[in-house]
Every structure is written in C-alpha cells, then in structure tokens.
Amino acid sequence: MMEKKKILLAVSGGIAAYKAAPVASKLYQSGYEVKVILTASAQKFITPLTFQTLTRQAVYTDTFEEKEPSVVSHIDIADWADLVLIAPATANVIGKLANGIADDMLSTTLLATKADVLIAPAMNVNMFNHPAVKKNMETLAAFGWRFIEPNEGLLACGWIGKGRLAEPEELINAVHMYFKEKKEHSLPLSGKKVMVTAGPTREELDPVRYFTNHSSGKMGYAIAFAAKKLGADVTLITGPTSLDIPSGVQVERVISAKEMFDKAISLYGEQDIVIKCAAVADYTPVTVHSNKFKKKNDTWTIELKKTDDILKVLGERKEHQILVGFAAETENLEDYAKDKLLRKNLDMVVGNDVSKEGSGFGSDTNEIIMIKKDGSIRPLPILTKEQAANEILEEVMEMMER
Ligand code: PMT
C-alpha cells in the first residue's frame, strides 16, 4: 500500500475560510491525510469541529494547547507535513510569514516547517494590489513558496476585482499537480544521503616527507558523481587528489587516516548509504618529527603502527545504513574480498585486482567483482570507472528495494 501523503491545511481569517471546508473534505476523500490549523480569526467564520469531523483529526488552534505531552505540537506537525496549503491566506498572515513573525499556531508552524508551501491569497482587491502586500508576496515567492492566484469577480466586500479565493476544485487540483510533478522529477536516490570516501591518505613522517599510495581518487569521485546524478545528497570525504569535485557534491577534505576516521565516524549516523573507496593507509609512523629528519646513517628504520580500520568500525556501528567496502588485492581476489565482507560486516564488497592492466589505481578503467552478503557474486568485464560506479549503485539500489 502506498503511504498516504500528508497535507497541512492552514486556514486564516477571511470570509473565504468557509471554502476551506470542502477542500479539507475532498482532500481527505482523495486519500490524503489532512490536518488543519485555524487561526483565531478563522474561527470567527468557521469552527474547529467542522474540520475535525471532515478530516477525522484534531484541529490545531493554539500554540500553547499541547494535546500530546511527548511532542511540541507546532514542531510536530511542521515535521509531519509533506505539503502545507494556506487557504485562504489573508494580507495579515502573508505579512507575518514574509517577516518571520511567529505569534500563533499557524505562524510558528510555518516558520518551523521544511515542507513545501502552496499559498492561496484572498482579500479585497485594493489590499491585494497594495505595494506592502505585493512586496510580502514576492518575499514568500523567493522562499520557494508557490502561489495559487486569486480569481477576479465580485468580492464579499462589494468591490469587483482580483481577490476571490481560488475555487476548492482549483486548490485541490494544485495539490494533486504538486505531487504529480514531484513524482515525475524524483530520481531513484532522491532524499537519500550517500557518503563516499575517495583518494589516498597521507601519513606524515616529518615536515617534508610522508607515506601514501597510488590512489588517484578517480573511482571514488566517479561513485560520488553517479550518486549525485541519481538524485542523492552526496558527501565526499576525500584524501589529497588533483581532481575537481563533482558539481553539487558536498566535500570534506582530509589528509591522514586519522582525519578520515574522525570525519567518517562523525557523519555516519545520518547516512543511508556509505561507500568506502578510499585507499586508507594501514600503518602510520609512530613518531612524527617536528623538524626535517637529517641525513645521517646509511639506513633509517622507521617504526609504524596500525591505523584504525574505519570500515570495520562502521560495520560494528551499522544501524540502518547500507555499507559497501572495497578490496584492493593483488592475489586471491575473491577469497580476500569475501573475508573483508564478513569481517567488516559489509552489505557488499567491491573487489578489484590492482595488479591487472587497466584495473585499480590511477587508470580510467576498472575490472571489479561485486560480492553481496546474500552470497551473490557478480564479476564484470573491464569498464570505465563511471560505468563501474553506475553498476555499483545499481546493486545498492537493488538491496534498498528488498
Ligand atoms: O583512486 P583510484 O586511482 O581510482 O583507484 C581506485 C582504488 C584502487 C583505490 C579503489 O578501487 C579501491 O580498491 N579502494 C580500496 C583500497 C583499499 O584500501 O583497499 P583495502 O583492501 O586495503 O581496504 C579494504 C577496505 O577497508 C576499503 O574499503 C578501505 O577503504 C577500508 N579501510 C582500509 C584501511 C583502513 N585503515 N580503514 C579502512 O576503512
């Protein structure tokens, strides 16, 4: 069963408030979940009981009337709504919302919501054309709020002109259209948070020397780019590379394995998908010299200590996330990759034999094998890193659907 879309209908105090009742009723009958806020002025025209009966939901009228002790109502319904419809919107409410005034249930909720807003003004034609109201409407439009234009005709006040609230059918149609458009524009990873790590890490020995590896970042950047194109909200944690950050991707630059560990752990909780493609140093110098280490003896013995295995820790702390790791091997690819899958509690491991021509470090191509925790194994021929990235994300999306 499709989850019901949640509409918050906010009704302010004009004569057109009575038209909000058939809107609430039709939306409810069309399968939406509808909750209603009435301002104090709206209640002079129509009662909460009307909407409660039509929507089978309690109606909100007062910020301080906290019906449910476990939540703060105006924040709770602000977060609950998929879409807010303000109908009718009076000049007063438009002015308050444009200026961030929050002094009642409607205005505090609207200031707190992250949902999209449709706003249907209704007022006297001269009020509608007043520069102050026009300016406030422009401000709201700049917030991304969409207006449902009032109609022209005989107004309740006796004037003829633009200011009649759009008819209930028009308001309901605007809601249907909003969700239709949203569905058409939604991409497979819309609303999903994806964290990708890429590139090498650099482990300092002294101010002029460091240990690193051959990772160019190309594979990880290709994954970040592909996830962005699929609509995801992407964070790329990258070690030092010379690549451009894919457009629209949020970047976190790190140098060492320790910095990558700290950044990955701090962002982990909020992610839906994590793909750890970075070639993280397994060892780092025990001693980091503060001055350049001077040439003395014929040999120089450097003591190294293990770094924290980021992927292993993420596997141990896994909750809802889909966790994908890489395995860069030069022998026994399948066996070693399977071992990493189990030991690090991964959902999938992507193995690549980095000793093969056109595979692994630095190249524009890669030959990968994908092994999932359900035991399925999918070897792929040599592909561009962009193609390989898309194949990896296809498998991730398939796992998400289960
Ligand atoms: O950057 P490119 O030039 O495009 O090259 C791509 C690549 C070869 C770097 C990439 O395809 C790849 O294989 N990345 C993983 C490299 C690696 O470190 O593999 P590993 O088998 O040593 O580590 C296994 C997994 O544990 C990896 O997901 C790694 O990110 C992770 N790890 C390793 C050590 C550590 N301290 N923390 C980790 O999280």
Side-chain angles (χ1 to χ4, degrees):
M1 263 228 325
M2 285 269 290
E3 208 190 316
K4 286 188 171 185
K5 295 287 178 216
K6 304 180 189 93
I7 313 283
L8 181 60
L9 176 61
V11 184
S12 60
I15 178 61
Y18 79 93
K19 286 192 191 171
V23 172
S25 173
K26 289 269 164 47
L27 288 174
Y28 175 76
Q29 287 170 35
S30 307
Y32 294 101
E33 212 177 319
V34 184
K35 291 188 180 182
V36 178
I37 297 177
L38 288 182
T39 62
S41 321
Q43 291 170 70
K44 307 250 187 224
F45 294 98
I46 193 157
T47 68
L49 185 59
T50 307
F51 290 99
Q52 181 179 306
T53 312
L54 293 172
T55 62
R56 312 280 195 274
Q57 298 272 3
V59 171
Y60 297 84
T61 54
D62 182 351
T63 330
F64 299 103
E65 194 193 331
E66 297 288 13
K67 294 177 174 128
E68 170 62 57
S70 61
V71 296
V72 176
S73 333
H74 65 285
I75 305 297
D76 191 46
I77 53 165
D79 293 342
W80 169 88
D82 292 317
L83 177 70
V84 182
L85 170 62
I86 313 177
T90 59
N92 177 50
V93 154
I94 289 171
K96 285 206 284 190
L97 297 175
N99 290 286
I101 295 167
D103 63 353
D104 65 1
M105 187 66 190
L106 188 152
S107 51
T108 48
T109 306
L110 263 292
L111 211 56
T113 193
K114 294 185 100 177
D116 285 338
V117 180
L118 298 180
I119 177 161
M123 65 197 76
N124 165 271
V125 59
N126 298 325
M127 290 169 81
F128 187 70
N129 289 326
H130 195 284
V133 176
K134 289 269 176 250
K135 190 164 157 268
N136 289 332
M137 290 198 291
E138 278 164 23
T139 304
L140 294 179
F143 296 165
W145 294 17
R146 287 201 233 162
F147 281 83
I148 306 171
E149 287 290 306
N151 292 328
E152 290 194 29
L154 178 63
L155 305 177
C157 55
W159 280 74
I160 295 174
K162 193 167 180 176
R164 285 168 66 96
L165 179 68
E167 292 305 315
E169 297 70 40
E170 294 173 274
L171 299 173
I172 291 157
N173 201 30
V175 171
H176 290 329
M177 286 307 293
Y178 167 83
F179 285 109
K180 188 165 174 270
E181 270 175 37
K182 203 167 162 99
K183 196 170 172 196
E184 280 165 6
H185 291 136
S186 77
L187 291 160
L189 290 180
S190 291
K192 298 288 173 203
K193 286 178 91 73
V194 177
M195 179 169 91
V196 181
T197 69
T201 63
R202 209 179 257 179
E203 308 303 316
E204 256 194 48
L205 191 51
D206 72 7
V208 299
R209 302 179 182 93
Y210 53 78
F211 289 103
T212 189
N213 57 62
H214 295 299
S215 173
S216 62
K218 286 179 187 172
M219 188 66 243
Y221 279 51
I223 296 170
F225 178 67
K228 184 70 213 168
K229 270 206 313 193
L230 288 165
D233 180 357
V234 183
T235 304
L236 174 66
I237 305 179
T238 178
T241 75
S242 58
L243 303 177
D244 291 334
I245 302 299
S247 154
V249 165
Q250 195 185 318
V251 65
E252 298 287 350
R253 294 182 193 277
V254 296
I255 305 285
S256 64
K258 170 80 174 78
E259 285 176 20
M260 189 170 278
F261 179 92
D262 290 343
K263 194 45 82 179
I265 298 293
S266 74
L267 298 175
Y268 188 45
E270 64 202 51
Q271 305 301 324
D272 299 298
I273 300 163
V274 174
I275 305 182
K276 275 222 81 268
C277 184
V280 185
D282 290 321
Y283 290 91
T284 193
V286 170
T287 308
V288 181
H289 301 274
S290 51
N291 292 314
K292 184 181 171 190
F293 188 82
K294 298 305 284 178
K295 187 163 58 175
K296 285 178 270 186
N297 305 328
D298 286 349
T299 59
W300 177 13
T301 304
I302 296 161
E303 197 183 356
L304 301 174
K305 61 179 179 193
K306 255 191 187 165
T307 57
D308 286 324
D309 189 323
I310 307 167
L311 191 55
K312 190 154 181 293
V313 175
L314 297 181
E316 285 159 6
R317 298 187 188 178
K318 186 156 60 136
E319 291 168 348
H320 56 278
Q321 297 89 347
I322 289 193
L323 186 58
V324 178
F326 268 71
E329 308 295 347
T330 53
E331 56 181 345
N332 302 330
L333 177 62
E334 198 174 312
D335 288 347
Y336 286 156
K338 275 183 188 162
D339 173 64
K340 281 174 184 164
L341 176 85
L342 294 176
R343 222 168 10 90
K344 303 193 185 194
N345 189 26
L346 308 179
D347 295 288
M348 183 167 87
V349 65
V350 181
N352 46 188
D353 183 339
V354 293
S355 64
K356 268 193 181 172
E357 181 77 23
S359 193
F361 294 111
S363 59
D364 291 330
T365 52
N366 207 1
E367 190 177 325
I368 59 170
I369 179 169
M370 292 185 279
I371 307 175
K372 289 201 213 145
K373 71 170 178 201
D374 65 5
S376 69
I377 302 181
R378 195 171 154 223
L380 291 175
I382 196 152
L383 297 171
T384 64
K385 283 186 173 165
E386 287 70 29
Q387 289 167 329
N390 283 321
E391 294 293 342
I392 292 165
L393 289 169
E394 279 298 324
E395 293 295 339
V396 168
M397 289 188 290
E398 204 253 330
M399 286 191 278
M400 283 170 61
E401 277 161 20
R402 282 197 213 141

